[in-house]
Amino acid sequence: MDKNFDVIVIGGGPGGYVCAIRSAQLGFKTACIESRGTLGGTCLNVGCIPSKSLLNLSENYHKAQNEFNNLGIESSGVKLNLSKMMNNKNKSVLTLTKGVEYLFKKNKITYLKGTGSILSKNTVSVADESKKKISYQTKNIIISTGSIPSSLSGIKIDENNIVSSTGALSFNKVPKELIIIGGGYIGLEMGSIWKRLGSKVTVIEFLDHIIPGMDKDVSNEFLKILTKQGINFKLDSKVTSVNVLRNKTIVDFTNNKSAKRERIECDKVLVAVGRKSNIGSDIVKLGIKLEKEKIKVNNKFETNIKGIYAIGDCIHLGPMLAHKAEDEGIAVAEIIAGQAGHVNYDVIPAVIYTSPEVASVGKTEQELQKESIKYKVGKFPFLANSRAKVNNETEGFVKIIADEKTDKVLGVHIIGSHAGTMIAEMALAMEFGASSEDIARTCHAHPTHTEAVKEAALAVDKRPIHF
Ligand code: NAI
């Protein structure tokens, strides 16, 4: 095999594989190194995709068990077959990871299986399972090594009693009692899954609210809805220790304000306190500059070493989200090709795939207040949206924040069914610099949930029709 490439991408996750495909499309001789044995990274293998499969399946189960009977669909006797559900999830993961492998073949990308390390700015070595190393030459290196779960000091994740999201996606029986440390994205998605499947779920969160950085209005509403669904919350609480004793797990925590100590005994503990960049020792050895333990890049995604670029969860820019990494993958390939690749970090949508979904793009009210930017707000509840009403999906609202003077949309926050799909229209509007008036004057199909967006835009100017 020829060992000379134009581009070598290290890491086959959403950032890396998309970058490899775009590089190949641009005519570069491209290789992608991946150590996991399958392509797709955390997202496809142990993140976004398997969690969305279980979120969908557990929601169907929950509805069939608790809601259908009231709606004229006789569903008594519905039973859970967890191993079949897990098989379905695994099948979806396999199909998608194989799909990426097919795309590599289609684009003539060399897939190097093993662990890559950078030896110099033009040389990368790949160690296979038997630790045999082969070196490859390249003009450009793109680091896309992603992130790994963080833990708390003194708490060791064993993926049995104390798990990360990876373990929580593969429990072989429904835990009677599940404690989740961290009320962020992972904690609330995984908590929803296991609550619906029958666990008693308690979330212990350090802050006095869930989902740090989320618009407060939405965060408060989200907390109310999840509490109504039966998830217990211990906010403003710091976990002090987690111990495993005879297959029982004991969690000790203290309230930050009252200093009251509490202890809960449970079957499983999920540690979901964030993720940290995956920085190999080769990166440190080469002297690649870091910022807050993440790779520092310039506006061309280039590190301090010319020809070595980095994208995705391992860099200091933007949130740790798969779609952000994909966009960076495309941008960096285009920049290397001399084109104007670009990522707009002001318009990166974020979605939590609970029921209802929560989605946002742009600034929160709290951020705007901090920046002393004057704004106006339009809100519209799904309770007043006809489609949401007939579908029994009346929880939540759409909130549009626009500049007080220019009316330019600065942020959109949605809690409600299909929020994750609806946010795309808002991202597009913001990319085009839309005003709330532009959204209000765009014809939205009736009856759809998206009419709530139009109504929220009308509400910015205090003229909603249906509320
Ligand atoms: P996160 O940053 O969303 O939430 C971590 C939570 O843990 C925070 O609320 C934080 O205050 C809390 N916390 C930290 N230390 C604590 C302590 N000692 N005791 C109690 N609580 C503590 O991180 P998470 O949920 O682990 O997700 C990791 C990454 O994966 C995030 O960057 C997220 O964006 C991404 N992700 C995205 C998803 C999506 O797009 N739907 C789904 C899952 C993950």
PDB file of all heavy atoms in Angstrom, residues 51-52 152 181-187 189 204-207 209-212 237-239 272-275 319-321 323 351-353, ligand 1:
ATOM      1  N   SER A  51     -28.405   6.296  22.218  1.00  0.00           N
ATOM      2  CA  SER A  51     -29.293   6.931  23.199  1.00  0.00           C
ATOM      3  C   SER A  51     -30.609   7.343  22.536  1.00  0.00           C
ATOM      4  O   SER A  51     -31.674   7.217  23.125  1.00  0.00           O
ATOM      5  CB  SER A  51     -28.610   8.114  23.885  1.00  0.00           C
ATOM      6  OG  SER A  51     -28.296   9.121  22.964  1.00  0.00           O
ATOM      7  N   LYS A  52     -30.527   7.803  21.277  1.00  0.00           N
ATOM      8  CA  LYS A  52     -31.779   8.192  20.609  1.00  0.00           C
ATOM      9  C   LYS A  52     -32.631   6.980  20.304  1.00  0.00           C
ATOM     10  O   LYS A  52     -33.855   7.030  20.348  1.00  0.00           O
ATOM     11  CB  LYS A  52     -31.484   8.967  19.315  1.00  0.00           C
ATOM     12  CG  LYS A  52     -31.608  10.451  19.482  1.00  0.00           C
ATOM     13  CD  LYS A  52     -30.439  11.142  20.132  1.00  0.00           C
ATOM     14  CE  LYS A  52     -30.438  11.289  21.575  1.00  0.00           C
ATOM     15  NZ  LYS A  52     -29.209  11.918  22.105  1.00  0.00           N
ATOM     16  N   LEU A 152     -15.572  12.377  39.035  1.00  0.00           N
ATOM     17  CA  LEU A 152     -15.277  13.248  40.169  1.00  0.00           C
ATOM     18  C   LEU A 152     -14.140  12.606  40.944  1.00  0.00           C
ATOM     19  O   LEU A 152     -13.983  11.381  40.907  1.00  0.00           O
ATOM     20  CB  LEU A 152     -16.514  13.375  41.057  1.00  0.00           C
ATOM     21  CG  LEU A 152     -17.735  13.990  40.368  1.00  0.00           C
ATOM     22  CD1 LEU A 152     -18.958  13.871  41.253  1.00  0.00           C
ATOM     23  CD2 LEU A 152     -17.474  15.452  40.026  1.00  0.00           C
ATOM     24  N   ILE A 181     -25.521  11.430  38.753  1.00  0.00           N
ATOM     25  CA  ILE A 181     -24.780  12.615  39.215  1.00  0.00           C
ATOM     26  C   ILE A 181     -24.617  13.530  38.006  1.00  0.00           C
ATOM     27  O   ILE A 181     -23.929  13.183  37.042  1.00  0.00           O
ATOM     28  CB  ILE A 181     -23.404  12.241  39.808  1.00  0.00           C
ATOM     29  CG1 ILE A 181     -23.544  11.115  40.841  1.00  0.00           C
ATOM     30  CG2 ILE A 181     -22.741  13.473  40.423  1.00  0.00           C
ATOM     31  CD1 ILE A 181     -22.214  10.621  41.404  1.00  0.00           C
ATOM     32  N   GLY A 182     -25.277  14.698  38.049  1.00  0.00           N
ATOM     33  CA  GLY A 182     -25.196  15.656  36.946  1.00  0.00           C
ATOM     34  C   GLY A 182     -26.517  15.782  36.210  1.00  0.00           C
ATOM     35  O   GLY A 182     -26.995  14.809  35.618  1.00  0.00           O
ATOM     36  N   GLY A 183     -27.106  16.979  36.271  1.00  0.00           N
ATOM     37  CA  GLY A 183     -28.370  17.229  35.571  1.00  0.00           C
ATOM     38  C   GLY A 183     -28.138  17.959  34.265  1.00  0.00           C
ATOM     39  O   GLY A 183     -28.747  18.994  33.990  1.00  0.00           O
ATOM     40  N   GLY A 184     -27.235  17.428  33.448  1.00  0.00           N
ATOM     41  CA  GLY A 184     -26.962  18.007  32.127  1.00  0.00           C
ATOM     42  C   GLY A 184     -27.606  17.152  31.044  1.00  0.00           C
ATOM     43  O   GLY A 184     -28.559  16.407  31.307  1.00  0.00           O
ATOM     44  N   TYR A 185     -27.090  17.261  29.823  1.00  0.00           N
ATOM     45  CA  TYR A 185     -27.649  16.553  28.661  1.00  0.00           C
ATOM     46  C   TYR A 185     -27.750  15.048  28.915  1.00  0.00           C
ATOM     47  O   TYR A 185     -28.800  14.445  28.758  1.00  0.00           O
ATOM     48  CB  TYR A 185     -26.746  16.772  27.444  1.00  0.00           C
ATOM     49  CG  TYR A 185     -26.905  18.086  26.745  1.00  0.00           C
ATOM     50  CD1 TYR A 185     -26.634  19.282  27.399  1.00  0.00           C
ATOM     51  CD2 TYR A 185     -27.318  18.141  25.426  1.00  0.00           C
ATOM     52  CE1 TYR A 185     -26.774  20.493  26.750  1.00  0.00           C
ATOM     53  CE2 TYR A 185     -27.459  19.346  24.758  1.00  0.00           C
ATOM     54  CZ  TYR A 185     -27.178  20.515  25.426  1.00  0.00           C
ATOM     55  OH  TYR A 185     -27.318  21.707  24.775  1.00  0.00           O
ATOM     56  N   ILE A 186     -26.602  14.446  29.286  1.00  0.00           N
ATOM     57  CA  ILE A 186     -26.571  12.988  29.415  1.00  0.00           C
ATOM     58  C   ILE A 186     -27.465  12.543  30.567  1.00  0.00           C
ATOM     59  O   ILE A 186     -28.280  11.623  30.420  1.00  0.00           O
ATOM     60  CB  ILE A 186     -25.117  12.482  29.621  1.00  0.00           C
ATOM     61  CG1 ILE A 186     -24.314  12.738  28.344  1.00  0.00           C
ATOM     62  CG2 ILE A 186     -25.085  11.002  29.999  1.00  0.00           C
ATOM     63  CD1 ILE A 186     -22.866  12.294  28.391  1.00  0.00           C
ATOM     64  N   GLY A 187     -27.330  13.210  31.705  1.00  0.00           N
ATOM     65  CA  GLY A 187     -28.103  12.833  32.883  1.00  0.00           C
ATOM     66  C   GLY A 187     -29.600  12.811  32.604  1.00  0.00           C
ATOM     67  O   GLY A 187     -30.290  11.855  32.980  1.00  0.00           O
ATOM     68  N   GLU A 189     -31.223  12.806  29.574  1.00  0.00           N
ATOM     69  CA  GLU A 189     -31.655  11.851  28.536  1.00  0.00           C
ATOM     70  C   GLU A 189     -31.657  10.424  29.101  1.00  0.00           C
ATOM     71  O   GLU A 189     -32.620   9.681  28.944  1.00  0.00           O
ATOM     72  CB  GLU A 189     -30.741  11.945  27.302  1.00  0.00           C
ATOM     73  CG  GLU A 189     -30.972  13.224  26.506  1.00  0.00           C
ATOM     74  CD  GLU A 189     -30.228  13.286  25.170  1.00  0.00           C
ATOM     75  OE1 GLU A 189     -29.405  12.386  24.867  1.00  0.00           O
ATOM     76  OE2 GLU A 189     -30.448  14.252  24.434  1.00  0.00           O
ATOM     77  N   ILE A 204     -28.790  14.099  41.042  1.00  0.00           N
ATOM     78  CA  ILE A 204     -28.132  15.003  41.995  1.00  0.00           C
ATOM     79  C   ILE A 204     -27.327  16.011  41.176  1.00  0.00           C
ATOM     80  O   ILE A 204     -26.441  15.633  40.411  1.00  0.00           O
ATOM     81  CB  ILE A 204     -27.196  14.220  42.946  1.00  0.00           C
ATOM     82  CG1 ILE A 204     -27.972  13.085  43.647  1.00  0.00           C
ATOM     83  CG2 ILE A 204     -26.561  15.174  43.976  1.00  0.00           C
ATOM     84  CD1 ILE A 204     -27.093  12.180  44.506  1.00  0.00           C
ATOM     85  N   GLU A 205     -27.694  17.280  41.312  1.00  0.00           N
ATOM     86  CA  GLU A 205     -27.064  18.327  40.499  1.00  0.00           C
ATOM     87  C   GLU A 205     -26.413  19.367  41.411  1.00  0.00           C
ATOM     88  O   GLU A 205     -27.023  19.822  42.373  1.00  0.00           O
ATOM     89  CB  GLU A 205     -28.112  18.960  39.566  1.00  0.00           C
ATOM     90  CG  GLU A 205     -27.730  20.281  38.922  1.00  0.00           C
ATOM     91  CD  GLU A 205     -26.480  20.233  38.044  1.00  0.00           C
ATOM     92  OE1 GLU A 205     -26.373  19.331  37.209  1.00  0.00           O
ATOM     93  OE2 GLU A 205     -25.608  21.112  38.229  1.00  0.00           O
ATOM     94  N   PHE A 206     -25.198  19.740  41.071  1.00  0.00           N
ATOM     95  CA  PHE A 206     -24.425  20.683  41.881  1.00  0.00           C
ATOM     96  C   PHE A 206     -25.049  22.087  41.894  1.00  0.00           C
ATOM     97  O   PHE A 206     -25.093  22.755  42.923  1.00  0.00           O
ATOM     98  CB  PHE A 206     -22.988  20.739  41.352  1.00  0.00           C
ATOM     99  CG  PHE A 206     -22.089  21.583  42.197  1.00  0.00           C
ATOM    100  CD1 PHE A 206     -21.615  21.114  43.411  1.00  0.00           C
ATOM    101  CD2 PHE A 206     -21.735  22.859  41.790  1.00  0.00           C
ATOM    102  CE1 PHE A 206     -20.804  21.893  44.208  1.00  0.00           C
ATOM    103  CE2 PHE A 206     -20.921  23.645  42.582  1.00  0.00           C
ATOM    104  CZ  PHE A 206     -20.449  23.164  43.801  1.00  0.00           C
ATOM    105  N   LEU A 207     -25.548  22.516  40.729  1.00  0.00           N
ATOM    106  CA  LEU A 207     -26.111  23.877  40.642  1.00  0.00           C
ATOM    107  C   LEU A 207     -27.556  23.891  41.159  1.00  0.00           C
ATOM    108  O   LEU A 207     -28.133  22.831  41.402  1.00  0.00           O
ATOM    109  CB  LEU A 207     -26.079  24.352  39.185  1.00  0.00           C
ATOM    110  CG  LEU A 207     -24.701  24.384  38.517  1.00  0.00           C
ATOM    111  CD1 LEU A 207     -24.843  24.713  37.046  1.00  0.00           C
ATOM    112  CD2 LEU A 207     -23.802  25.397  39.208  1.00  0.00           C
ATOM    113  N   HIS A 209     -30.048  24.689  39.398  1.00  0.00           N
ATOM    114  CA  HIS A 209     -30.935  24.502  38.248  1.00  0.00           C
ATOM    115  C   HIS A 209     -30.349  23.421  37.334  1.00  0.00           C
ATOM    116  O   HIS A 209     -29.177  23.070  37.460  1.00  0.00           O
ATOM    117  CB  HIS A 209     -31.104  25.815  37.480  1.00  0.00           C
ATOM    118  CG  HIS A 209     -29.801  26.383  36.985  1.00  0.00           C
ATOM    119  ND1 HIS A 209     -28.993  27.163  37.779  1.00  0.00           N
ATOM    120  CD2 HIS A 209     -29.165  26.258  35.804  1.00  0.00           C
ATOM    121  CE1 HIS A 209     -27.912  27.500  37.091  1.00  0.00           C
ATOM    122  NE2 HIS A 209     -27.993  26.961  35.891  1.00  0.00           N
ATOM    123  N   ILE A 210     -31.189  22.902  36.422  1.00  0.00           N
ATOM    124  CA  ILE A 210     -30.679  21.873  35.507  1.00  0.00           C
ATOM    125  C   ILE A 210     -30.171  22.511  34.215  1.00  0.00           C
ATOM    126  O   ILE A 210     -30.528  23.640  33.886  1.00  0.00           O
ATOM    127  CB  ILE A 210     -31.747  20.786  35.214  1.00  0.00           C
ATOM    128  CG1 ILE A 210     -33.049  21.417  34.700  1.00  0.00           C
ATOM    129  CG2 ILE A 210     -32.012  19.955  36.461  1.00  0.00           C
ATOM    130  CD1 ILE A 210     -34.072  20.403  34.201  1.00  0.00           C
ATOM    131  N   ILE A 211     -29.356  21.781  33.484  1.00  0.00           N
ATOM    132  CA  ILE A 211     -28.766  22.217  32.199  1.00  0.00           C
ATOM    133  C   ILE A 211     -28.112  23.604  32.306  1.00  0.00           C
ATOM    134  O   ILE A 211     -28.714  24.626  31.961  1.00  0.00           O
ATOM    135  CB  ILE A 211     -29.799  22.204  31.038  1.00  0.00           C
ATOM    136  CG1 ILE A 211     -30.586  20.897  31.003  1.00  0.00           C
ATOM    137  CG2 ILE A 211     -29.131  22.487  29.717  1.00  0.00           C
ATOM    138  CD1 ILE A 211     -29.907  19.719  30.366  1.00  0.00           C
ATOM    139  N   PRO A 212     -26.868  23.640  32.757  1.00  0.00           N
ATOM    140  CA  PRO A 212     -26.185  24.931  32.864  1.00  0.00           C
ATOM    141  C   PRO A 212     -26.124  25.621  31.500  1.00  0.00           C
ATOM    142  O   PRO A 212     -25.929  24.967  30.479  1.00  0.00           O
ATOM    143  CB  PRO A 212     -24.783  24.560  33.353  1.00  0.00           C
ATOM    144  CG  PRO A 212     -24.668  23.084  33.282  1.00  0.00           C
ATOM    145  CD  PRO A 212     -26.028  22.500  33.129  1.00  0.00           C
ATOM    146  N   SER A 237     -26.623  20.359  45.243  1.00  0.00           N
ATOM    147  CA  SER A 237     -26.085  19.291  46.095  1.00  0.00           C
ATOM    148  C   SER A 237     -24.770  18.758  45.540  1.00  0.00           C
ATOM    149  O   SER A 237     -24.633  18.563  44.333  1.00  0.00           O
ATOM    150  CB  SER A 237     -27.078  18.140  46.173  1.00  0.00           C
ATOM    151  OG  SER A 237     -28.248  18.574  46.807  1.00  0.00           O
ATOM    152  N   LYS A 238     -23.849  18.512  46.446  1.00  0.00           N
ATOM    153  CA  LYS A 238     -22.519  18.041  46.042  1.00  0.00           C
ATOM    154  C   LYS A 238     -22.339  16.605  46.516  1.00  0.00           C
ATOM    155  O   LYS A 238     -22.515  16.312  47.708  1.00  0.00           O
ATOM    156  CB  LYS A 238     -21.473  18.944  46.690  1.00  0.00           C
ATOM    157  CG  LYS A 238     -20.060  18.653  46.267  1.00  0.00           C
ATOM    158  CD  LYS A 238     -19.158  19.677  46.957  1.00  0.00           C
ATOM    159  CE  LYS A 238     -17.727  19.265  47.036  1.00  0.00           C
ATOM    160  NZ  LYS A 238     -16.981  19.081  45.918  1.00  0.00           N
ATOM    161  N   VAL A 239     -21.999  15.743  45.562  1.00  0.00           N
ATOM    162  CA  VAL A 239     -21.741  14.345  45.921  1.00  0.00           C
ATOM    163  C   VAL A 239     -20.379  14.289  46.604  1.00  0.00           C
ATOM    164  O   VAL A 239     -19.394  14.819  46.079  1.00  0.00           O
ATOM    165  CB  VAL A 239     -21.777  13.454  44.664  1.00  0.00           C
ATOM    166  CG1 VAL A 239     -21.293  12.045  44.980  1.00  0.00           C
ATOM    167  CG2 VAL A 239     -23.184  13.422  44.092  1.00  0.00           C
ATOM    168  N   ALA A 272     -22.501  11.653  35.196  1.00  0.00           N
ATOM    169  CA  ALA A 272     -22.696  12.454  33.967  1.00  0.00           C
ATOM    170  C   ALA A 272     -22.364  13.905  34.274  1.00  0.00           C
ATOM    171  O   ALA A 272     -23.228  14.775  34.234  1.00  0.00           O
ATOM    172  CB  ALA A 272     -24.129  12.293  33.476  1.00  0.00           C
ATOM    173  N   VAL A 273     -21.091  14.136  34.612  1.00  0.00           N
ATOM    174  CA  VAL A 273     -20.673  15.486  35.029  1.00  0.00           C
ATOM    175  C   VAL A 273     -19.843  16.182  33.949  1.00  0.00           C
ATOM    176  O   VAL A 273     -19.050  17.065  34.238  1.00  0.00           O
ATOM    177  CB  VAL A 273     -19.891  15.439  36.361  1.00  0.00           C
ATOM    178  CG1 VAL A 273     -20.794  14.999  37.499  1.00  0.00           C
ATOM    179  CG2 VAL A 273     -18.677  14.514  36.266  1.00  0.00           C
ATOM    180  N   GLY A 274     -20.059  15.777  32.709  1.00  0.00           N
ATOM    181  CA  GLY A 274     -19.342  16.420  31.616  1.00  0.00           C
ATOM    182  C   GLY A 274     -18.326  15.485  30.978  1.00  0.00           C
ATOM    183  O   GLY A 274     -18.120  14.359  31.430  1.00  0.00           O
ATOM    184  N   ARG A 275     -17.703  15.966  29.909  1.00  0.00           N
ATOM    185  CA  ARG A 275     -16.694  15.182  29.195  1.00  0.00           C
ATOM    186  C   ARG A 275     -15.430  16.025  29.074  1.00  0.00           C
ATOM    187  O   ARG A 275     -15.487  17.248  29.115  1.00  0.00           O
ATOM    188  CB  ARG A 275     -17.206  14.780  27.803  1.00  0.00           C
ATOM    189  CG  ARG A 275     -18.433  13.876  27.868  1.00  0.00           C
ATOM    190  CD  ARG A 275     -18.931  13.524  26.471  1.00  0.00           C
ATOM    191  NE  ARG A 275     -17.964  12.777  25.691  1.00  0.00           N
ATOM    192  CZ  ARG A 275     -17.829  11.450  25.717  1.00  0.00           C
ATOM    193  NH1 ARG A 275     -18.600  10.717  26.487  1.00  0.00           N
ATOM    194  NH2 ARG A 275     -16.922  10.855  24.964  1.00  0.00           N
ATOM    195  N   PRO A 319     -19.325  24.287  21.519  1.00  0.00           N
ATOM    196  CA  PRO A 319     -19.776  23.222  22.426  1.00  0.00           C
ATOM    197  C   PRO A 319     -19.358  21.829  21.939  1.00  0.00           C
ATOM    198  O   PRO A 319     -19.004  21.664  20.772  1.00  0.00           O
ATOM    199  CB  PRO A 319     -21.307  23.356  22.359  1.00  0.00           C
ATOM    200  CG  PRO A 319     -21.577  23.952  21.013  1.00  0.00           C
ATOM    201  CD  PRO A 319     -20.401  24.809  20.659  1.00  0.00           C
ATOM    202  N   MET A 320     -19.386  20.844  22.854  1.00  0.00           N
ATOM    203  CA  MET A 320     -19.055  19.465  22.468  1.00  0.00           C
ATOM    204  C   MET A 320     -20.295  18.826  21.837  1.00  0.00           C
ATOM    205  O   MET A 320     -21.050  18.130  22.510  1.00  0.00           O
ATOM    206  CB  MET A 320     -18.614  18.668  23.688  1.00  0.00           C
ATOM    207  CG  MET A 320     -17.222  18.975  24.161  1.00  0.00           C
ATOM    208  SD  MET A 320     -16.738  17.829  25.452  1.00  0.00           S
ATOM    209  CE  MET A 320     -15.055  18.335  25.743  1.00  0.00           C
ATOM    210  N   LEU A 321     -20.517  19.106  20.557  1.00  0.00           N
ATOM    211  CA  LEU A 321     -21.681  18.562  19.876  1.00  0.00           C
ATOM    212  C   LEU A 321     -21.262  17.984  18.531  1.00  0.00           C
ATOM    213  O   LEU A 321     -20.395  18.548  17.849  1.00  0.00           O
ATOM    214  CB  LEU A 321     -22.731  19.658  19.657  1.00  0.00           C
ATOM    215  CG  LEU A 321     -23.392  20.219  20.934  1.00  0.00           C
ATOM    216  CD1 LEU A 321     -24.252  21.432  20.631  1.00  0.00           C
ATOM    217  CD2 LEU A 321     -24.212  19.153  21.655  1.00  0.00           C
ATOM    218  N   HIS A 323     -22.732  17.828  15.613  1.00  0.00           N
ATOM    219  CA  HIS A 323     -22.938  18.625  14.393  1.00  0.00           C
ATOM    220  C   HIS A 323     -21.946  19.780  14.296  1.00  0.00           C
ATOM    221  O   HIS A 323     -21.605  20.207  13.199  1.00  0.00           O
ATOM    222  CB  HIS A 323     -24.393  19.120  14.278  1.00  0.00           C
ATOM    223  CG  HIS A 323     -24.985  19.625  15.551  1.00  0.00           C
ATOM    224  ND1 HIS A 323     -25.500  18.792  16.505  1.00  0.00           N
ATOM    225  CD2 HIS A 323     -25.140  20.882  16.037  1.00  0.00           C
ATOM    226  CE1 HIS A 323     -25.966  19.524  17.518  1.00  0.00           C
ATOM    227  NE2 HIS A 323     -25.744  20.796  17.262  1.00  0.00           N
ATOM    228  N   VAL A 351     -29.851  20.448  21.139  1.00  0.00           N
ATOM    229  CA  VAL A 351     -31.129  19.753  21.364  1.00  0.00           C
ATOM    230  C   VAL A 351     -30.979  18.714  22.474  1.00  0.00           C
ATOM    231  O   VAL A 351     -29.984  17.991  22.518  1.00  0.00           O
ATOM    232  CB  VAL A 351     -31.587  19.019  20.064  1.00  0.00           C
ATOM    233  CG1 VAL A 351     -32.933  18.331  20.297  1.00  0.00           C
ATOM    234  CG2 VAL A 351     -31.667  19.967  18.886  1.00  0.00           C
ATOM    235  N   ILE A 352     -31.967  18.637  23.364  1.00  0.00           N
ATOM    236  CA  ILE A 352     -32.025  17.553  24.344  1.00  0.00           C
ATOM    237  C   ILE A 352     -33.233  16.705  23.955  1.00  0.00           C
ATOM    238  O   ILE A 352     -34.357  17.221  23.856  1.00  0.00           O
ATOM    239  CB  ILE A 352     -32.174  18.095  25.781  1.00  0.00           C
ATOM    240  CG1 ILE A 352     -31.080  19.138  26.042  1.00  0.00           C
ATOM    241  CG2 ILE A 352     -32.070  16.967  26.795  1.00  0.00           C
ATOM    242  CD1 ILE A 352     -31.264  19.898  27.333  1.00  0.00           C
ATOM    243  N   TYR A 353     -32.977  15.409  23.723  1.00  0.00           N
ATOM    244  CA  TYR A 353     -34.000  14.567  23.098  1.00  0.00           C
ATOM    245  C   TYR A 353     -34.892  13.865  24.118  1.00  0.00           C
ATOM    246  O   TYR A 353     -35.153  12.673  24.010  1.00  0.00           O
ATOM    247  CB  TYR A 353     -33.330  13.566  22.154  1.00  0.00           C
ATOM    248  CG  TYR A 353     -32.614  14.264  21.023  1.00  0.00           C
ATOM    249  CD1 TYR A 353     -31.291  14.702  21.181  1.00  0.00           C
ATOM    250  CD2 TYR A 353     -33.253  14.538  19.821  1.00  0.00           C
ATOM    251  CE1 TYR A 353     -30.629  15.377  20.168  1.00  0.00           C
ATOM    252  CE2 TYR A 353     -32.598  15.207  18.800  1.00  0.00           C
ATOM    253  CZ  TYR A 353     -31.288  15.632  18.981  1.00  0.00           C
ATOM    254  OH  TYR A 353     -30.651  16.295  17.973  1.00  0.00           O
TER     255      TYR A 353
HETATM  256  P1  NAI B   1     -23.107  18.572  30.840  1.00  0.00           P
HETATM  257  O1  NAI B   1     -22.038  19.570  30.862  1.00  0.00           O
HETATM  258  O2  NAI B   1     -24.275  18.755  29.922  1.00  0.00           O
HETATM  259  O3  NAI B   1     -23.740  18.433  32.313  1.00  0.00           O
HETATM  260  C1  NAI B   1     -22.973  18.066  33.437  1.00  0.00           C
HETATM  261  C2  NAI B   1     -23.770  18.452  34.672  1.00  0.00           C
HETATM  262  O4  NAI B   1     -23.090  17.939  35.808  1.00  0.00           O
HETATM  263  C3  NAI B   1     -23.872  19.948  34.875  1.00  0.00           C
HETATM  264  O5  NAI B   1     -25.218  20.283  35.124  1.00  0.00           O
HETATM  265  C4  NAI B   1     -22.989  20.221  36.082  1.00  0.00           C
HETATM  266  O6  NAI B   1     -23.418  21.311  36.851  1.00  0.00           O
HETATM  267  C5  NAI B   1     -23.132  18.904  36.833  1.00  0.00           C
HETATM  268  N1  NAI B   1     -22.069  18.624  37.771  1.00  0.00           N
HETATM  269  C6  NAI B   1     -20.738  18.825  37.611  1.00  0.00           C
HETATM  270  N2  NAI B   1     -20.066  18.444  38.722  1.00  0.00           N
HETATM  271  C7  NAI B   1     -21.001  17.968  39.591  1.00  0.00           C
HETATM  272  C8  NAI B   1     -20.935  17.421  40.910  1.00  0.00           C
HETATM  273  N3  NAI B   1     -19.781  17.303  41.559  1.00  0.00           N
HETATM  274  N4  NAI B   1     -22.078  17.021  41.513  1.00  0.00           N
HETATM  275  C9  NAI B   1     -23.268  17.155  40.866  1.00  0.00           C
HETATM  276  N5  NAI B   1     -23.371  17.677  39.625  1.00  0.00           N
HETATM  277  C10 NAI B   1     -22.259  18.074  38.999  1.00  0.00           C
HETATM  278  O7  NAI B   1     -22.374  17.177  30.613  1.00  0.00           O
HETATM  279  P2  NAI B   1     -22.941  15.741  30.225  1.00  0.00           P
HETATM  280  O8  NAI B   1     -24.399  15.656  30.495  1.00  0.00           O
HETATM  281  O9  NAI B   1     -22.049  14.767  30.914  1.00  0.00           O
HETATM  282  O10 NAI B   1     -22.697  15.691  28.674  1.00  0.00           O
HETATM  283  C11 NAI B   1     -21.359  15.725  28.156  1.00  0.00           C
HETATM  284  C12 NAI B   1     -21.306  16.348  26.783  1.00  0.00           C
HETATM  285  O11 NAI B   1     -21.972  15.571  25.838  1.00  0.00           O
HETATM  286  C13 NAI B   1     -21.911  17.732  26.795  1.00  0.00           C
HETATM  287  O12 NAI B   1     -20.982  18.613  26.250  1.00  0.00           O
HETATM  288  C14 NAI B   1     -23.117  17.617  25.908  1.00  0.00           C
HETATM  289  O13 NAI B   1     -23.235  18.758  25.089  1.00  0.00           O
HETATM  290  C15 NAI B   1     -22.846  16.369  25.062  1.00  0.00           C
HETATM  291  N6  NAI B   1     -24.089  15.660  24.841  1.00  0.00           N
HETATM  292  C16 NAI B   1     -24.982  16.148  23.944  1.00  0.00           C
HETATM  293  C17 NAI B   1     -26.197  15.525  23.756  1.00  0.00           C
HETATM  294  C18 NAI B   1     -27.152  16.090  22.780  1.00  0.00           C
HETATM  295  O14 NAI B   1     -26.748  16.888  21.943  1.00  0.00           O
HETATM  296  N7  NAI B   1     -28.433  15.743  22.859  1.00  0.00           N
HETATM  297  C19 NAI B   1     -26.574  14.317  24.485  1.00  0.00           C
HETATM  298  C20 NAI B   1     -25.560  13.900  25.414  1.00  0.00           C
HETATM  299  C21 NAI B   1     -24.378  14.556  25.552  1.00  0.00           C
END
